[in-house]
Amino acid sequence: MKKTTIFGIFAAALISVGGIFTATTTDTKASAIPTVFVRKITRLYTSDGELINNRALGEYTSWIVGKTGFIDGAEYYQVATNEYVKASDGQIYNDLDNDVPLGTYKPDTHKISDYFVKYVNALHKANGSEPVHTNADFENYAMQRAAQQNGNVLDHTTATRNLNENLSSDGLAYLLKWGYVHSDRDVAYYVLKDWYTDEYNTIPMGQAGHFGHSANVLYAGPTIGFGISNNAAAFVADPVGASSYDAFNWLYNYAGTTPNTNFISKDSVPE
């Protein structure tokens, strides 16, 4: 597993949150080594919760976790002496030595779709929205939509059906190289989480539409389809029904930063 050195970031503001790190685990043992994987440049904090203004973790890097704990109620991972990352900024894996080598995982797009639908149903249950289902027609159309994208340029205008649609550049080529996925379930959860958080939406935070992908996976249906190609992923669904219309519109037009919705854990759908 690759690990790179941390590097400087300049002109960053110093922020203090005033907390104290409270460990919830002892130092990790060699037989079970948790690691945290970060996709983007990730800020570091001291055990007091103060932002470290001249160091950060490099994008697409993995780091051994020394301790986990909380500062002012938020979970953090220790990656160096008095240097911590927010749990929300990375993905943690529980055993570096026993991780499945990336080259041995062979994606099955149908199984990925099946896991994705199960995760969407778990998400709907957590938020009180109606259950969903898929069929071969919707799955095949979603696969077609994913195959039509080139990854860097996603195009809704080529759709041939009047359905709600999410597109993502989280294709298999990207996920197998950078996403740290080891199973079909990993792929499904990774893509759903990206759409739910809407961190990479081209519509800026604070504007209507920023949480449009999240609104789709939370409220569209009841028939949905998921497809993934080497370059992109696609989610298609029946237009939002009357029972979820108000909730969908509220989230779609939400201009804040933290909508009052509930996400799910990876374990909400078993292997």
Side-chain angles (χ1 to χ4, degrees):
M1 185 173 294
K2 183 179 179 182
K3 177 179 176 180
T4 63
T5 57
I6 54 180
F7 60 94
I9 291 182
F10 303 98
L14 181 64
I15 300 172
S16 174
V17 295
I20 297 176
F21 180 82
T22 303
T24 56
T25 66
T26 58
D27 290 341
T28 57
K29 299 179 181 179
S31 60
I33 308 175
T35 61
V36 62
F37 174 76
V38 296
R39 296 178 58 193
K40 59 185 179 180
I41 295 173
T42 300
R43 310 311 300 268
L44 291 163
Y45 300 82
T46 69
S47 60
D48 295 325
E50 293 186 350
L51 177 68
I52 298 173
N53 68 342
N54 64 345
R55 292 165 69 81
L57 302 186
E59 58 185 351
Y60 306 120
T61 56
S62 298
W63 300 83
I64 293 175
V65 174
K67 296 179 180 179
T68 65
F70 293 84
I71 303 173
D72 284 348
E75 188 174 14
Y76 286 76
Y77 304 140
Q78 182 190 37
V79 294
T81 302
N82 202 28
E83 293 183 346
Y84 301 81
V85 297
K86 289 182 178 179
S88 58
D89 286 339
Q91 296 170 272
I92 194 164
Y93 294 86
N94 289 327
D95 197 338
L96 176 63
D97 293 334
N98 294 324
D99 275 347
V100 178
L102 294 180
T104 66
Y105 164 52
K106 304 298 182 184
D108 182 320
T109 57
H110 177 69
K111 289 181 179 178
I112 294 170
S113 173
D114 184 57
Y115 276 119
F116 188 88
V117 174
K118 290 177 180 177
Y119 273 124
V120 171
N121 268 318
L123 184 64
H124 279 217
K125 183 177 180 180
N127 288 275
S129 45
E130 297 294 324
V132 298
H133 59 268
T134 191
N135 58 38
D137 178 52
F138 269 59
E139 182 179 335
N140 289 339
Y141 179 65
M143 286 295 298
Q144 174 190 327
R145 293 295 295 136
Q148 287 176 318
Q149 314 305 315
N150 70 15
N152 293 322
V153 180
L154 304 174
D155 188 0
H156 289 293
T157 67
T158 54
T160 58
R161 300 189 187 184
N162 185 26
L163 299 174
N164 285 30
E165 178 178 82
N166 287 354
L167 298 174
S168 170
S169 57
D170 285 339
L172 289 171
Y174 171 82
L175 293 179
L176 290 174
K177 185 174 183 180
W178 301 117
Y180 216 90
V181 294
H182 294 156
S183 68
D184 297 327
R185 187 179 73 144
D186 282 355
V187 173
Y189 186 77
Y190 188 110
V191 178
L192 179 66
K193 185 176 182 180
D194 261 11
W195 278 326
Y196 175 83
T197 61
D198 255 333
E199 182 178 358
Y200 300 100
N201 197 331
T202 56
I203 299 174
M205 180 81 74
Q207 293 186 18
H210 176 79
F211 288 102
H213 300 99
S214 183
N216 264 345
V217 294
L218 277 164
Y219 301 116
T223 310
I224 69 172
F226 176 80
I228 191 165
S229 66
N230 278 339
N231 295 320
F235 167 76
V236 298
D238 287 325
V240 178
S243 63
S244 298
Y245 187 78
D246 289 343
F248 175 90
N249 276 346
W250 176 85
L251 183 55
Y252 184 89
N253 291 297
Y254 178 73
T257 59
T258 312
N260 185 25
T261 57
N262 302 308
F263 197 52
I264 52 175
S265 72
K266 184 185 289 187
D267 292 336
S268 62
V269 173
E271 288 279 10

